[in-house]
Amino acid sequence: MSEKIPVTVLTGYLGAGKTTLLNRILTEDHGKKFAVIVNEFGETGIDGDLVVGADEEVFEMNNGCICCTVRGDLIRILDGLMKRKGKFDAIIVETTGLADPAPVAQTFFVDQDVGDATKLDAVVTVTDAKWLTERLKDAPEAKNQIAFADVIILNKVDLVSAEELAEVEAAIRAINPYAKLHKTTRCQLPIDQLLDRNAFDLDRILDIEPDFLESGHHHHHSDEVRSMSFTIPGDVDPDKFMPWINDISQAQGPNILRSKGILAFKDEPRRFVFQGVHMILDGDLQRDWKADETRNSRLVFIGRDLDESELRKGFLACAA
């Protein structure tokens, strides 16, 4: 796992501050070199002189939105980058503000070569504190970008009152209560809070919601975007779980924006970590359970029109 190149997908609605954040990453003195894939689609591109000065590898895709017409281009660029492995420490993919993050994330699962060489470290979503409330009403892309995020930057907090900020943060948490959230002005925050975070590891959830293991619970949003989590206090039977999660993903995949899990398989000393995007699932055995860890099996779904009772019943039936 450690040999795979980490990839950060940087997303966020038009004008939220993605380019500001990318420029900050490229110019900060962090000692790392990034390959940057920028998708321009009706937006002002990053400053070419700035990129040259930062001595980064930049690849622009100008023929459409990264989440649809150019995913093939993304795979080809990533394949090309792998032939130059060693010239950079990580990859950053900046999407257009109108992109749905799902197909971007799926790219790292559906292509075998890409999946073998890279790991999706985190989806980072930049949101606009002043305008997000309006965007949640008229832009489904903004809602999806928040739901898919592992890290959320609530930017431009200097432009709103404390009351407005609290309302915006509550709206974000209603859609995605598990992402790490940073409140910023001009995307000012330590870069190590964004990169190489292994944010797909569900352990990060415990930093945000310490009672996560206590019970299954869910959160509502006005547009039926819901997040729910379930826990089995012990092991699961992989011969039951794998067919069940595959069946659920095929049957309800279009409505499941994200799924994640850390599972204790019966008679297996290592943790099984999996993640899903719609109907695409990926997972493997990772590190051993630590001596002071409780072998709990935890599962998270974020999506629309999900039957919580059905999902809970199905998961609990997978107990060993």
Side-chain angles (χ1 to χ4, degrees):
M1 295 297 293
S2 60
E3 295 180 357
K4 292 187 177 184
I5 300 295
V7 180
T8 299
V9 174
L10 178 58
T11 188
Y13 202 71
L14 297 164
K18 295 187 305 300
T19 298
T20 298
L21 178 60
L22 182 57
N23 284 341
R24 185 174 297 282
I25 293 172
L26 297 185
T27 56
E28 187 160 305
D29 184 18
H30 43 59
K32 292 187 176 182
K33 184 172 177 61
F34 299 100
V36 182
I37 303 173
V38 181
N39 178 214
E40 305 294 354
F41 190 67
E43 293 184 87
T44 301
I46 58 177
D47 187 332
D49 292 334
L50 175 62
V51 175
V52 172
D55 193 29
E56 306 293 339
E57 302 281 359
V58 178
F59 303 85
E60 292 192 20
M61 297 181 293
N62 297 308
N63 59 330
C65 177
I66 200 171
C67 70
C68 43
T69 61
V70 301
R71 193 163 82 178
D73 288 346
L74 175 59
I75 291 175
R76 283 190 289 274
I77 289 175
L78 290 168
D79 284 340
L81 283 175
M82 291 309 102
K83 296 180 175 64
R84 306 171 67 183
K85 197 171 181 179
K87 294 182 178 294
F88 50 88
D89 302 299
I91 300 171
I92 300 173
V93 181
E94 183 195 11
T95 73
T96 165
L98 298 176
D100 181 342
V104 182
Q106 284 176 332
T107 302
F108 299 92
F109 305 145
V110 299
D111 185 89
Q112 184 69 42
D113 293 335
V114 171
D116 288 343
T118 66
K119 66 170 183 177
L120 186 53
D121 186 67
V123 175
V124 177
T125 297
V126 184
T127 61
D128 185 330
K130 185 170 180 59
W131 295 108
L132 181 61
T133 300
E134 293 301 313
R135 295 294 74 78
L136 291 178
K137 296 176 183 177
D138 61 21
E141 299 91 350
K143 197 175 286 101
N144 287 343
Q145 289 163 358
I146 291 171
F148 273 86
D150 301 294
V151 179
I152 296 173
I153 297 175
L154 181 51
N155 194 34
K156 306 183 184 180
V157 298
D158 57 317
L159 302 182
V160 298
S161 66
E163 292 77 12
E164 291 170 324
L165 181 60
E167 291 178 5
V168 172
E169 185 172 355
I172 290 174
R173 283 301 181 211
I175 300 171
N176 185 343
Y178 304 120
K180 186 70 173 178
L181 189 145
H182 301 278
K183 288 173 274 194
T184 67
T185 298
R186 295 192 59 78
C187 292
Q188 292 181 346
L189 79 163
I191 300 305
D192 62 6
Q193 296 295 307
L194 297 177
L195 304 177
D196 202 19
R197 300 292 289 168
N198 196 26
F200 267 5
D201 190 331
L202 271 189
D203 284 343
R204 297 242 169 238
I205 292 176
L206 299 177
D207 294 337
I208 304 151
E209 194 160 341
D211 66 347
F212 175 73
L213 295 178
E214 300 305 317
S215 61
H217 53 277
H218 62 268
H219 300 254
H220 293 272
H221 186 264
S222 57
D223 194 38
E224 297 306 314
V225 173
R226 302 175 62 195
S227 58
M228 55 193 71
S229 63
F230 310 108
T231 299
I232 290 177
D235 294 357
V236 301
D237 184 343
D239 293 332
K240 295 178 181 178
F241 175 77
M242 299 306 285
W244 174 76
I245 193 65
N246 278 303
D247 289 346
I248 287 294
S249 298
Q250 293 304 310
Q252 302 188 41
N255 291 332
I256 300 175
L257 298 176
R258 286 286 293 275
S259 57
K260 305 181 184 183
I262 294 179
L263 306 172
F265 280 165
K266 184 180 179 181
D267 300 324
E268 172 55 59
R270 292 168 295 174
R271 307 187 320 164
F272 183 80
V273 179
F274 95 95
Q275 54 190 328
V277 178
H278 291 311
M279 288 168 279
I280 306 296
L281 298 176
D282 183 52
D284 59 11
L285 292 167
Q286 295 190 0
R287 68 166 173 81
D288 287 353
W289 288 93
K290 297 178 182 178
D292 58 351
E293 279 184 305
T294 302
R295 285 177 62 102
N296 284 331
S297 298
R298 325 195 287 278
L299 192 60
V300 169
F301 291 100
I302 299 177
R304 294 185 176 89
D305 301 321
L306 300 179
D307 188 329
E308 182 190 3
S309 60
E310 177 188 347
L311 291 173
R312 177 186 288 108
K313 181 180 178 181
F315 182 50
L316 294 180
C318 297

